[in-house]
Amino acid sequence: MDIQHNGHEQDAAAERMQERQTALQHLQTMKQRSTEAGVAIAERVATAAEALIAMPPPSIDAEREVLDTVFRSLDVMALLVHDAGRRQQGYPPAALHEAVHMLLEQMERIKPKSH
């Protein structure tokens, strides 16, 4: 029974590590696109999300929260880059300030405090 249980834990840990790698690759791509589009706030979101991925989570629940937040940051970054392109075409800016602010606050809450 213990061998089977350990196998499931190892599979779950490998899956979480793969999710982290995938998220990191997407973050790096979006960070590059943000830089190219001149969207500094998206770069700030990417840097904060990269810091979350780099930290070891204290629990599986914390791991899920980290990954959910990182994937949400990718969505927000995509919206910011898209909005920058639309503004270049003469459209008014989207109301994304509050979403970015709330996301950055959430990332700050998740990060462990240094002592």
Side-chain angles (χ1 to χ4, degrees), residues 52 60-70 72 106 109-110:
L52 286 181
I60 290 175
D61 289 340
E63 174 78 4
R64 179 54 36 213
E65 183 179 17
V66 165
L67 288 172
D68 287 348
T69 302
V70 168
R72 192 168 32 260
Q106 181 179 10
R109 277 194 320 271
I110 293 172

Side-chain angles (χ1 to χ4, degrees), residues 37-39 78-92:
V39 184
L79 289 170
L80 289 166
V81 170
H82 178 73
D83 182 56
R86 288 182 49 82
R87 280 186 282 133
Q88 288 178 349
Q89 295 173 0
Y91 290 94

Side-chain angles (χ1 to χ4, degrees), residues 28-95:
Q28 291 167 344
T29 299
M30 285 305 300
K31 193 172 187 178
Q32 180 180 355
R33 288 183 182 162
S34 300
T35 301
E36 291 167 359
V39 184
I41 192 69
E43 293 176 56
R44 183 174 166 207
V45 169
T47 300
E50 287 171 336
L52 286 181
I53 288 178
M55 71 176 213
S59 69
I60 290 175
D61 289 340
E63 174 78 4
R64 179 54 36 213
E65 183 179 17
V66 165
L67 288 172
D68 287 348
T69 302
V70 168
F71 284 116
R72 192 168 32 260
S73 72
L74 286 165
D75 291 341
V76 168
M77 290 171 61
L79 289 170
L80 289 166
V81 170
H82 178 73
D83 182 56
R86 288 182 49 82
R87 280 186 282 133
Q88 288 178 349
Q89 295 173 0
Y91 290 94

Side-chain angles (χ1 to χ4, degrees), residues 95-106:
L96 295 170
H97 177 76
E98 187 65 25
V100 171
H101 180 71
M102 289 174 55
L103 179 63
L104 289 171
E105 280 183 353
Q106 181 179 10

